[in-house]
Structures are given as C-alpha cells and as structure tokens.
Amino acid sequence: MIYSIYDNMNDSSAVLIGLAIMLLVAFLLTRLTKPLKLPNVTVYIFAGLLIGPIFKLIFKTNLIKPELITGMDFLTDIALAFIGKYEKILIFIMN
C-alpha cells in the first residue's frame, strides 16, 4: 500500500515528502507539455488531478494521505494572497 512510506515518518517528514511529490509531478508535466505551449497553470491543474482523483481511480488508493491534504489548506490562502497582491499591482500599472 502507498501509505506504508508514511508509516515510519513523523508529521513534518510526511508533509515534506508530500510536497516533494506534488512539486516533482508538476515540474515533470511542465517539461513534458512545453512543446504544446500550454500555460503552466493549466498543467498545474492537470498535475493536481493526476495526483488526486485520477491516481485514486486507477490504483484504488491515494498517493498523498488525505490528512496531509487537509493540513495544507494554508497553501491555498497563501496562493490567493499572492494572486490578490499581483492583481492590485497589475491594475495600478494598467491605469
């Protein structure tokens, strides 16, 4: 079972491994789709789908523990804060 890699780890190590898997998959997919000239955001969304629901559909288990995913909700808040900050800067520049 996939979760066996998390069995002997403390929480911080499991979070780092989960982040590393997510970043690695996203990085590899951006390199593979570069000839198609897709925007990176599209590839990141596809990477999230690949790691989450598609992996679970094929292998009947999760690659990342659900507890880790719910514990990483703060990343959404940080990403939205950056988007909001850059949006204000772009609006200021365009006016």
Side-chain angles (χ1 to χ4, degrees), residues 26 53 86:
Y86 290 123

Side-chain angles (χ1 to χ4, degrees), residues 42-74:
T42 306
V43 179
Y44 297 151
I45 292 170
F46 181 69
L49 289 172
L50 190 65
I51 292 171
I54 294 174
F55 189 88
K56 187 173 183 175
L57 182 69
I58 294 171
F59 296 105
K60 308 292 188 244
T61 187
N62 292 319
L63 182 61
I64 309 290
K65 289 175 82 171
E67 297 86 24
L68 292 177
I69 295 170
T70 57
M72 292 184 194
D73 285 341
F74 68 94

Side-chain angles (χ1 to χ4, degrees), residues 8-68:
N8 297 325
M9 289 186 202
N10 58 15
D11 289 340
S12 58
S13 297
V15 168
L16 288 174
I17 293 294
L19 280 173
I21 290 170
M22 290 182 236
L23 291 173
L24 181 67
V25 170
F27 174 76
L28 291 176
L29 282 178
T30 56
R31 295 298 164 217
L32 289 174
T33 59
K34 197 167 217 77
L36 299 174
K37 297 183 181 176
L38 288 173
N40 284 343
V41 173
T42 306
V43 179
Y44 297 151
I45 292 170
F46 181 69
L49 289 172
L50 190 65
I51 292 171
I54 294 174
F55 189 88
K56 187 173 183 175
L57 182 69
I58 294 171
F59 296 105
K60 308 292 188 244
T61 187
N62 292 319
L63 182 61
I64 309 290
K65 289 175 82 171
E67 297 86 24
L68 292 177

